[in-house]
């Protein structure tokens, strides 16, 4: 089991599933959501229509269609509203919901973008350690899960995640994770 941080475009990643930072309509949007729908082709939105949306903090699965990934796990992150509206707990629920779908499907590899830290405005310095903690907990818990990749779109975002990972490994109880 391994955790990898890379810079890249998640629509090019070959994995059992990639995660989409969607909105509650599940019918597409900007950012990584728009890129995933463009790359997957129109069959993706057709399947999404059958799902009747997704509440914030939850996650739903579709096939990957023209993507290299076999599945897309769509999750709806919180919009940042200053941090006093349960945004961190909601973002943690997104990761837990994605891993619930990963567990149901018995997937071996999954790739994440940085959920909520683009259009939804969640500060990446707060989101990155939270995301990495949830990912490490899932890697420890799910025996079928071999590899989790976090795909960062910019060098600055990649560096922020790398620093967050170093911070977690240096934290008490954070060794050997
Ligand atoms: N590969 C990897 N990461 C990407 C890609 C890509 N191809 N494109 C963008 N990112 P965002 P959110 C990064 O805004 O904040 C949509 O309209 C981006 O740089 O995509 O959760 C939805 O429909 C950022 O670091 O998602 C919702 O309405 C990260 O992905 C809303 O945006 C997430 O940014 C969701 O906003």
């Amino acid at each position: 089991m391994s955790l990898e941080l890379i810079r890249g475009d998640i629509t090019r990643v070959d994995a059992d599933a990639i995660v989409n930072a969607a909105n509650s309509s599940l019918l597409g949007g900007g950012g990584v959501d728009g890129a995933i729908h463009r790359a997957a082709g129109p069959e993706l939105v057709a399947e999404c229509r059958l799902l009747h949306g997704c509440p914030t903090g939850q996650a739903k699965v579709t096939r990957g269609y023209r993507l290299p990934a076999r599945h897309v796990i769509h999750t709806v992150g919180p919009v940042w509203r200053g941090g006093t509206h349960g945004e961190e707990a909601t973002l943690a629920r997104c990761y837990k919901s994605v891993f619930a779908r990963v567990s149901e499907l018995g997937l071996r590899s999954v790739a994440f973008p940085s959920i909520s830290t683009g259009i939804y405005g969640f500060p990446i310095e707060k989101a990155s350690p939270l995301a990495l903690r949830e990912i490490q907990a899932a890697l420890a818990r799910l025996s079928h899960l071999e590899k989790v990749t976090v795909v960062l779109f910019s060098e600055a975002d990649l560096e922020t995640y790398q620093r967050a990972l170093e911070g977690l490994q240096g934290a008490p109880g954070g060794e050997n994770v």
Side-chain angles (χ1 to χ4, degrees):
M1 54 188 217
S2 68
L3 163 60
E4 191 180 26
L5 308 179
I6 64 168
R7 181 180 174 189
D9 175 354
I10 202 167
T11 66
R12 311 282 292 272
V13 171
D14 184 2
D16 286 344
I18 62 169
V19 176
N20 183 17
N23 61 64
S24 57
S25 79
L26 295 187
L27 299 180
V32 73
D33 191 11
I36 287 172
H37 276 272
R38 277 193 300 279
E43 296 94 338
L44 180 59
V45 77
E47 185 177 354
C48 283
R49 275 197 202 97
L50 306 175
L51 298 176
H52 305 293
C54 180
T56 302
Q58 295 187 23
K60 294 189 177 182
V61 184
T62 64
R63 290 168 55 196
Y65 300 98
R66 298 177 202 175
L67 292 163
R70 266 72 70 201
H71 300 89
V72 180
I73 305 177
H74 307 262
T75 189
V76 183
V79 177
W80 181 259
R81 293 195 289 152
T84 55
H85 294 79
E87 292 95 327
E88 297 202 54
T90 304
L91 186 60
R93 274 211 311 285
C94 288
Y95 285 90
K96 289 184 203 303
S97 301
V98 169
F99 284 116
R101 305 291 88 78
V102 167
S103 173
E104 287 157 11
L105 295 166
L107 303 183
R108 291 187 304 178
S109 57
V110 58
F112 284 85
S114 181
I115 299 163
S116 276
T117 67
I119 293 165
Y120 280 179
F122 201 118
I124 195 166
E125 291 75 15
K126 291 187 194 298
S128 49
L130 185 160
L132 293 169
R133 270 197 302 273
E134 294 296 332
I135 290 167
Q136 287 178 328
L139 276 166
R141 197 172 67 237
L142 303 177
S143 55
H144 54 84
L145 184 59
E146 292 169 6
K147 185 173 178 190
V148 177
T149 308
V150 186
V151 184
L152 288 320
F153 209 44
S154 72
E155 193 61 36
D157 286 356
L158 174 61
E159 285 168 11
T160 303
Y161 268 72
Q162 285 168 336
R163 277 197 304 276
L165 187 58
E166 285 161 20
L168 291 185
Q169 283 165 346
E175 294 89 358
N176 308 316
V177 285

